[in-house]
Structures are given as structure tokens and as C-alpha cells.
Amino acid sequence: MATEGYEKLIMDLKELRLPAMADMLDSYAKQAASSSMSYVDFLSVLVSEEVSRKERRSIENRIKSARFPILKSLDDFDYAFQPSVNRKKVEELSSLRFIDNRENVLFLGPPGIGKTHLATGLGVKACESGYKVLFTTLNDMVSALMASMADNSFPSKLRTFIQPSLLVIDEVGYLPVSKEGANFLFQVVAKQYEAGSIILTSNRSFADWGEILGDSVIASAILDRLLHHSTVFNIRGDSYRLREKKKLMGKEEKENSQHY
Ligand SMILES: Nc1ncnc2c1ncn2[C@@H]1O[C@H](COP(=O)(O)OP(=O)(O)O)[C@@H](O)[C@H]1O
Ligand SMILES: [Mg+2]
């Protein structure tokens, strides 16, 4: 290709914000010249490069704005270690129909059994499929809403929690919630009800929610909406966090026993 024409094309592609096409032009042009690639095929592979780069970028952006504490994938979940997690149910959820149907998912169980991992894994999957997702702990959400009351930004702060197609509320039950906090949770759940999906994790059973939220009437109003269209996982088993520790301890015991 004539240098002048080539450089003008590169500049025009950049002007049109098509950087992947600009980057790949040279190598595809060479490839096309040395093969029998048609004009349409040449343009098509170049455009595909741009489309896939834009898709990758928007997935990255959605994952970033979802604010997951640590990225986890459902593919890395060891079902053999946690047999009380129904693998079929998780796989069904990973089709993400529950988001289209505005249904909720609740992961319940003691610490270390993979609640945050599963919630994050589904959230990442949703980001990859184009859904807007936000991850928060109950405590962080309550603090943010509380702070927004002080500077009159409550309505817009509340919107940030109810706008996403999927809101993940992690760690319900670890810390007690004030009466205002319970009221905030109610508002979020009520606004998201049948308008979006919530994935919620808790180390406490539903019977304890009155105590956690300091108000059994609000607790049952929240649970009523959350559970209406929902999938609930009651996970029972050992902490994965302690697994490695136990493995190490087991090894030490073996080593010690060899001395005697
Ligand atoms: N079944 C599992 N397979 C693979 N990793 C797991 C499994 N369960 C838990 N983990 C890992 O163990 C750690 C604790 O899990 P986490 O999801 O934070 O537990 P929880 O939220 O229930 O307290 C995380 O690093 C997580 O990725
Ligand atoms: Mg957790």
C-alpha cells in the first residue's frame, strides 16, 4: 500500500475511534496481498477485530464498575469439596435467566463455605453477558446510604444500588444493623423487587433476621419480597479456608509421627 494512503487510512481509523482496525491493518493487508482474500473478507476480519476488542473492553469496564472485592470464577468452584452445593442449580443459574426473570438468589451458611465465591462467580458471568452489576456488603451499602443522608444525596445514592440489573449484597448477618440500616435494606429490596435481581449471602438463618435487623416486622417484609421469586442455597459443610490449614497440619502430624 502506498505509504501516504496507508498513513491517511491509519489516521482516519483513529479519528473514527477504530484503534484495533488501525493496529491490525498492516498485518491483514499483508495477509490479503499474499492470499486470495476478497475485499469483503479483508474488511470483515478487520471489523471483527474492532468488535471483539470493544466487547472485551466493555466486559472489563462492567467488571470494574461492579466492584467485586476479589474476582472469582464459577469454573474454579470445587463441588467435590462442598457437596451440599447443588451443582445443577448453579449451572442453571449461570444461564442468567434468573436476571431476565428478575429473580433472586440467596446463599446461606457458615463462614468459608464459598458464599462470596459463588455470588461473585455469578456476578462476573453477568458482567460478561452484558448486565450491569454492583457488588456491596450490607454494611458498606448501609454506610453509603447513611452518609448520603447528610449531604442530601440519598435519592441518587439509592439509585446506584437499584439501577443495576443485578445487585449482590454480601455478608448479611455478620454485623448488627441499626434501625435506619434495616430501613435502607427494605427500601433497596422493595425497589429492586420484580425490577431487578439480588444475590444475597448470609451466615444466619432466616429465623435470625429479626434479631440482625432489630425489627421482626421489617425483617419479614424484606424476606417476603426477597423469597417470592428466588433460589435458596443452604450450604452445610467445612470451611474451605481451613482446608489448606488442615492439610498442612495433617502433613505436620505425619512428619512428627515419623520421628517416633
Ligand atoms: N468449594 C470451593 N471451591 C474452591 N474454592 C472455594 C470453595 N469454597 C470456598 N472457596 C474459596 O475459599 C475462600 C473462602 O470462600 P468465601 O466464598 O469467601 O466463603 P464465605 O463467603 O462463605 O465465607 C475463597 O478464597 C474461595 O474462593
Ligand atoms: Mg463471604
Side-chain angles (χ1 to χ4, degrees), residues 70-72 76-82 85 109-120 170-171 174 201 235 238-241 243:
I70 307 174
L71 287 183
K72 295 282 172 183
D76 299 331
F77 195 79
D78 180 357
Y79 293 90
F81 181 77
Q82 212 59 268
V85 174
I113 42 120
K115 300 182 298 294
T116 303
H117 185 135
L118 290 166
T120 304
D170 200 21
E171 298 189 348
Y174 281 113
T201 82
I235 311 174
D238 292 334
S239 164
Y240 197 86
R241 290 192 190 101
R243 183 183 95 143

Side-chain angles (χ1 to χ4, degrees), residues 38-202:
S38 72
Y39 294 118
V40 170
D41 285 347
F42 168 68
L43 190 57
S44 165
V45 286
L46 214 48
V47 169
S48 301
E49 285 286 345
E50 193 64 53
V51 169
S52 53
R53 191 184 292 189
K54 285 210 155 59
E55 272 171 2
R56 272 201 311 277
R57 280 277 154 75
S58 56
I59 290 172
E60 280 166 19
N61 289 340
R62 276 193 296 274
I63 289 178
K64 217 168 156 193
S65 42
R67 308 171 98 178
F68 298 108
I70 307 174
L71 287 183
K72 295 282 172 183
S73 161
L74 290 179
D75 298 335
D76 299 331
F77 195 79
D78 180 357
Y79 293 90
F81 181 77
Q82 212 59 268
S84 72
V85 174
N86 185 331
R87 182 182 194 143
K88 273 231 169 73
K89 261 203 216 171
V90 176
E91 281 167 358
E92 161 62 23
L93 290 170
S94 71
S95 75
L96 305 175
R97 269 195 294 275
F98 79 99
I99 301 181
D100 294 329
N101 297 338
R102 293 152 169 76
E103 294 167 2
N104 304 321
V105 183
L106 290 94
F107 292 109
L108 306 179
I113 42 120
K115 300 182 298 294
T116 303
H117 185 135
L118 290 166
T120 304
L122 285 172
V124 168
K125 190 104 202 191
C127 291
E128 287 167 353
S129 303
Y131 296 98
K132 192 169 160 34
V133 178
L134 181 66
F135 183 106
T136 180
T137 63
L138 176 61
N139 205 42
D140 285 351
M141 182 172 81
V142 166
S143 303
L145 288 169
M146 196 78 84
S148 74
M149 296 290 273
D151 63 2
N152 297 325
S153 63
F154 180 78
S156 73
K157 193 41 99 184
L158 183 62
R159 259 200 309 281
T160 63
F161 291 107
I162 58 179
Q163 232 167 21
S165 310
L166 173 63
L167 174 66
V168 182
I169 308 175
D170 200 21
E171 298 189 348
V172 174
Y174 281 113
L175 297 169
V177 177
S178 65
K179 206 165 174 71
E180 277 146 314
N183 179 23
F184 292 150
L185 178 62
F186 173 74
Q187 291 201 50
V188 169
V189 170
K191 288 250 159 57
Q192 193 80 339
Y193 176 66
E194 294 185 340
S197 291
I198 291 177
I199 297 181
L200 184 145
T201 82
S202 179

